[in-house]
Amino acid sequence: MAVAVNLAVHGIGRPARALDPGEDERWVTEEQFEQLLDAVAGRPDVHLSFDDGNSSDVEIALPRLVERGLRAEFFPLAGKLGERGYVDSDGVRELVRAGMTIGSHGWEHHDWRRLDDRRAQRELEKAPRVLGELSGTPVRRFSLPYGAYDRRVLGRLRAAGAIRVYTSDGFPARADSWLQSRTEVRHDLDQRWLDDVLAGAGTVYRRAGRWAARWVRRVAR
């Protein structure tokens, strides 16, 4: 069984916008980001993804990815395009021209477990449609805001035609699985953390807590 290590990056460097409470824990320095890229280069079992559509995706991440011949998947918030600190439409097109893949993180970073039907349509149908028009290809891959989901969310995603869905459950995933677990890259990234995650070490002693967290995300209302 092929196993993939999915890493989720958020912001890099100095934020160009006000951050939500706790969001700074998912930002890394440029030096940490380069350390990460150097560690994953030449690792086909590692998949990089970027959530939210921060401007650092294009300004910092993209040139460093291209320099190393790496590919990644980007999940912008469609409703934030062009706002201060976020990528704009040209930025999305630039990512595509560089060989990157575009997925959807929704419209405004809501918890999808708490959506009524009208908001669900905007988050799960309008957002990927807008991003698909910009990228020139249908967007059918999704990253869950907050990593939160339950059976209703997964059912809505299947109805919306999702071909792959990324969580934040924090351990390696089966490479061919529809639901893909990811590990978030955080502000305290260091070499020991990289060695642990990329080696798959520590999965056993983290698994109980991660499975508990995933269960909470599935069933909480």
Side-chain angles (χ1 to χ4, degrees):
M1 180 182 67
V3 174
V5 176
N6 298 308
L7 299 179
V9 182
H10 292 79
I12 308 163
R14 183 184 298 275
R17 60 178 176 84
L19 300 182
D20 292 334
E23 192 178 1
D24 58 325
E25 295 183 359
R26 295 187 296 277
W27 281 69
V28 296
T29 66
E30 293 186 40
E31 292 76 16
Q32 287 174 312
F33 181 66
E34 292 194 348
Q35 182 181 19
L36 169 66
L37 294 187
D38 290 340
V40 305
R43 290 283 304 264
D45 58 329
V46 178
H47 174 262
L48 292 173
S49 59
F50 295 76
D51 281 0
D52 300 337
N54 289 300
S55 57
S56 58
D57 287 358
V58 172
E59 296 170 1
I60 299 174
L62 182 58
R64 289 163 172 79
L65 289 167
V66 171
E67 181 181 77
R68 293 166 173 81
L70 296 173
R71 296 291 181 267
E73 195 161 7
F74 290 80
F75 294 91
L77 291 164
K80 297 290 188 179
L81 294 175
E83 291 189 10
R84 179 177 176 83
Y86 291 95
V87 299
D88 58 14
S89 298
D90 288 339
V92 173
R93 297 188 186 99
E94 186 175 351
L95 290 168
V96 173
R97 286 195 299 269
M100 307 301 159
T101 303
I102 302 298
S104 179
H105 200 41
W107 192 261
E108 289 185 337
H109 211 280
H110 292 301
D111 184 337
W112 290 354
R113 297 169 302 177
R114 295 173 171 80
L115 300 176
D116 57 27
D117 289 342
R118 180 182 62 82
R119 289 186 176 180
Q121 190 277 332
R122 184 176 67 173
E123 296 290 330
L124 304 183
E125 297 179 30
K126 181 179 179 181
R129 183 171 66 249
V130 168
L131 294 169
E133 290 170 354
L134 288 174
S135 62
T137 188
V139 168
R140 299 173 61 196
R141 298 161 75 96
F142 294 80
S143 167
L144 296 162
Y146 307 107
Y149 60 99
D150 55 19
R151 292 183 181 87
R152 186 183 187 195
V153 169
L154 299 182
R156 280 173 162 171
L157 284 163
R158 289 191 183 277
I163 62 172
R164 179 151 291 188
V165 177
Y166 290 96
T167 75
S168 300
D169 289 331
F171 48 84
R174 198 174 72 183
D176 61 354
S177 176
W178 180 76
L179 193 64
Q180 289 282 309
S181 172
R182 294 184 304 172
T183 298
E184 290 189 332
V185 175
R186 301 176 67 84
H187 69 99
D188 54 355
L189 179 152
D190 59 17
Q191 192 60 50
R192 181 177 180 180
W193 183 91
L194 284 169
D195 291 342
D196 180 30
V197 170
L198 296 181
T203 301
V204 173
Y205 68 73
R206 284 198 301 263
R207 187 175 296 275
R210 295 300 189 182
W211 271 102
R214 183 165 71 170
W215 178 250
V216 169
R217 283 193 283 268
R218 281 182 172 178
V219 304
R221 299 291 180 179

